[in-house]
Amino acid sequence: MGPRPLALHLILQVLTWGGWPSGLMPWNGGWLSLKERSAACWPAADLLASLKDDPGALAAFLAAADVEARRHLDAFLRGVEAYQAHPYHRPLVDPAPCWSAGTTLLRDYGGFRGAVPIVLIPSLVNRAQILDLAPGRSLCRFLVEAGYRPFLVDWDQPGEEEASFDIGAYVSQRLEPAMAAVIERTGMRPVVLGYCMGGLLALALTSRQPGLARGLALLATPFDFAAGDDALADLTRAFAPLANPRRARGRPLPVDLVQLPFALLDPLAISAKFEAFGRLDPASPRARDFVAVEDWLNDGIALAAPVAAEVARLWYGDNAPAQGTWRVAGTPVIASALETPSLVVLPARDRIVPAESASALARALPSATVLDLALGHVGMVAGRQAEARLYGPLVHWLDGLAGR
């Protein structure tokens, strides 16, 4: 039941809209520090300061604001109920796996004989289906139509073996054998495409096997974790103690725990999107698209505790990728040493991966082509503009690699 973690979202919205007046009453003790300490957070601070000596005006303001807050909370709850009741289900059928190891699958989307293979690597914390979300919203199927042969890595939940994996194990024991299977199946070196966290896995894979990939496409890939105003980085560092493998006792981190930093990133934005959804005609394409993306977001994957600890400590804590100190299965991952032709896609409206973080990767790679998109983290790969803004330019770059 989404949005996940549902209990936390409900609590955040109740606190935001239902409990707000108590947060505006610090002058009850005879002082008013709102203006000094929180003018940036409370745009109404000047107004409240001007009303503090007029009890009637202040009471009227608080009453009107209370009505507005309740309206927002009710609209959010109606939106959540409308989402949960929506009948949409993803209509696409996943291709049968052509290779597997543990719970990791490799899905072959087919293509004409001799088509250049492309291995697509998604994040470890969300389902691979974001790259094959729905008709007209599928990068995998667009690549087939463009004359390429996509192979999608489908991680699934960590099994007994993967529960003890760190990132090096995922790269050396899953991605490298999957790449070998693609080469054996097609007789050709593939292009490697990584999305989000999958981009760093692709970078590590290519660092360990420099001649294995004919090209490297990195979509919304974080790299410099100290760049920009990265609220997600701050939240991840705050939750880092929960990722301690010894505390996890060999169990993967549950989906709802993995989603905590994302849920806290911008509660007002979550409220706004469900309020807007509640106003849509349920039969409209926009409502269907919303449910398709939201279903994907809520069908997350648990994360192996050693991976979570590595991400929190080495990526968000030490900024190891940008510092050149990140090692994967014993191999240094040095972006500036990679000569593989690369495409780095930067979504300017990304709240998950700040543009400054991803652009640092583009500067580090010696053979990088940069594609700037005025889109968000999910919209760039599965939104209404994805085909025109990302899929087409990506195929143009691939055609250049293939000499078409």
Side-chain angles (χ1 to χ4, degrees):
M1 296 290 285
R4 295 182 70 174
L6 181 58
L8 177 62
H9 283 297
L10 294 176
I11 290 169
L12 287 174
Q13 297 307 322
V14 168
L15 290 176
T16 299
W17 299 116
W20 74 270
S22 61
L24 293 178
M25 306 300 285
W27 57 83
N28 283 353
W31 53 274
L32 176 62
S33 61
L34 248 175
K35 184 174 181 180
E36 291 78 11
R37 68 183 170 88
S38 58
C41 300
W42 294 98
D46 288 333
L47 174 61
L48 288 169
S50 69
L51 295 177
K52 69 183 180 69
D53 295 324
D54 185 343
L58 180 59
F61 170 80
L62 292 176
D66 184 63
V67 170
E68 182 69 4
R70 290 172 182 271
R71 184 185 69 79
H72 279 289
L73 180 57
D74 289 344
F76 167 76
L77 295 174
R78 286 196 300 271
V80 169
E81 290 170 350
Y83 162 65
Q84 293 179 348
H86 201 280
Y88 175 85
H89 292 284
R90 178 172 172 262
L92 298 179
V93 177
D94 295 326
C98 64
W99 172 91
S100 66
T103 61
T104 303
L105 308 175
L106 186 68
R107 301 188 184 278
D108 182 357
Y109 279 75
F112 68 83
R113 187 176 182 84
V116 173
I118 302 174
V119 176
L120 295 93
I121 305 173
S123 171
L124 282 167
V125 300
N126 289 110
R127 295 284 180 181
Q129 281 71 31
I130 190 59
L131 301 175
D132 184 30
L133 187 66
R137 301 283 197 277
S138 172
L139 176 56
C140 289
R141 294 169 200 261
F142 187 91
L143 290 172
V144 173
E145 293 174 2
Y148 292 91
R149 187 171 180 181
F151 290 82
L152 179 61
V153 177
D154 190 346
W155 299 115
D156 209 347
Q157 303 287 352
E160 183 176 350
E161 185 179 3
E162 290 91 355
S164 63
F165 272 17
D166 60 7
I167 291 174
Y170 269 109
V171 172
S172 63
Q173 299 181 44
R174 293 296 182 263
L175 289 180
E176 288 177 10
M179 288 282 285
V182 169
I183 293 171
E184 181 179 0
R185 195 174 182 89
T186 65
M188 304 173 70
R189 290 187 306 141
V191 176
V192 177
L193 182 151
Y195 171 55
C196 187
M197 181 185 186
L200 279 173
L201 300 180
L203 190 70
L205 171 69
T206 310
S207 296
R208 282 179 50 81
Q209 305 281 349
L212 203 60
R214 69 168 63 203
L216 181 63
L218 303 169
L219 282 53
T221 298
F223 184 70
D224 186 347
F225 291 85
D229 181 17
D230 193 349
L232 181 60
D234 294 336
L235 287 165
T236 301
R237 284 189 285 266
F239 283 99
L242 298 178
N244 188 312
R246 283 182 293 183
R247 178 174 294 176
R249 298 179 181 176
R251 298 186 298 268
L253 269 68
V255 173
D256 286 343
L257 185 57
V258 173
Q259 293 294 331
L260 272 177
F262 301 98
L264 293 169
L265 188 60
D266 192 348
L268 287 179
I270 293 168
S271 174
K273 77 173 184 178
F274 276 96
E275 286 186 44
F277 176 72
R279 295 190 294 268
L280 293 177
D281 175 359
S284 68
R286 290 179 68 93
R288 178 204 62 207
D289 293 344
F290 177 94
V291 175
V293 171
E294 200 64 27
D295 281 355
W296 168 76
L297 286 171
N298 293 319
D299 187 22
I301 300 175
L303 192 61
V307 172
E310 189 171 348
V311 168
R313 181 173 58 85
L314 294 182
W315 292 3
Y316 287 99
D318 298 342
N319 197 20
Q323 295 296 324
T325 57
W326 185 35
R327 301 178 72 90
V328 172
T331 301
V333 180
I334 310 295
S336 60
L338 282 179
E339 298 295 337
T340 307
S342 304
L343 173 70
V344 178
V345 183
L346 310 176
R349 299 174 184 169
D350 197 334
R351 291 296 309 276
I352 306 299
V353 179
E356 298 91 341
S357 177
S359 61
L361 177 56
R363 292 192 297 272
L365 290 167
S367 303
T369 299
V370 178
L371 175 61
D372 286 291
L373 299 179
L375 297 173
H377 191 77
V378 175
M380 67 175 294
V381 294
R384 284 170 291 161
Q385 300 182 56
E387 183 173 319
R389 305 285 292 278
L390 174 66
Y391 300 178
L394 172 62
V395 166
H396 178 74
W397 178 78
L398 291 170
D399 287 347
L401 281 183
R404 293 184 179 180

